């Protein structure tokens, strides 16, 4: 799996991506909204057996965040963007499920496309995810993660309901 951990050595004269946060339509629709397919895209939630509630597109494909991205700026370009496909939209993304419309935005990529952001984090699909519900990109290189409705990395220290005892995990008696 490609983790895209190498920084871009020629990042000096590149235009700064711009971020926009627009009011997002919250009416549920049944359109697929996948990249290149429709006039709008939809960011939704799905429940995964191991990760809990995560963000997906309208087709149920998992979207990921890249921990090396800066807020409202993507650092995944070139070969990285071939393995980790930026989740782009031709218009304003719609939301459904537990997605917070206030956290959805877009940034302009170097190629002029609009990439969807959530809580300021650019979103991606993983090329090796072949069908809805796949999470093959989870924890790749310790930098790629599915996204929770709160905008955080799924499966990382989510202490609100996952671990009642914050310390002494080495001698737990699991019941």
């Amino acid at each position: 799996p490609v983790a895209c951990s190498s920084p871009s050595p020629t990042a000096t004269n590149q235009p700064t991506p711009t971020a926009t946060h627009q009011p997002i339509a919250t009416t549920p629709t049944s359109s697929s909204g996948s990249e290149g397919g429709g006039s709008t895209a939809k960011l939704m939630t799905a429940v995964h057996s191991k990760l809990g509630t995560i963000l997906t597109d309208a087709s149920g494909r998992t979207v990921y965040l890249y921990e090396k991205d800066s807020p409202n700026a993507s650092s995944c370009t070139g070969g990285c963007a071939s393995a980790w496909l930026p989740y782009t939209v031709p218009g304003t993304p719609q939301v459904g499920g537990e997605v917070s419309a206030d956290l959805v935005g877009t940034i302009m990529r170097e190629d002029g496309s609009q990439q969807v952001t959530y809580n300021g984090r650019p979103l991606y699909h993983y090329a090796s995810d072949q069908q809805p519900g796949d999470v093959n990109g989870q924890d790749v290189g310790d930098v790629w993660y599915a996204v929770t409705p709160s905008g955080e990395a799924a499966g990382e220290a989510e202490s609100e309901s996952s671990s009642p005892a914050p310390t002494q995990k080495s001698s737990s008696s699991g019941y």
Side-chain angles (χ1 to χ4, degrees), residues 21 34 38 56 75 79 84 97 103 120 137-138 140 147 162:
H21 291 281
S34 60
T56 69
S75 60
W84 297 93
L103 297 180
Q138 177 66 14
V140 170
V147 186
S162 300

Side-chain angles (χ1 to χ4, degrees), residues 20-24 43 92-95 99-106 116-120:
T20 59
H21 291 281
Q22 307 165 358
I24 306 299
L43 196 57
T92 303
Q94 293 186 337
V95 300
V99 174
S100 173
D102 293 341
L103 297 180
V104 178
T106 59
V116 177
T117 63
Y118 195 71
N119 197 23

Side-chain angles (χ1 to χ4, degrees), residues 24-60:
I24 306 299
T26 57
T27 43
T29 65
S30 59
S31 66
S32 65
S34 60
E35 297 102 79
S39 61
T40 61
K42 190 167 184 181
L43 196 57
M44 303 179 64
T45 56
V47 177
H48 185 270
S49 61
K50 292 183 182 176
L51 299 176
T53 304
I54 58 173
L55 302 187
T56 69
D57 66 11
S59 301

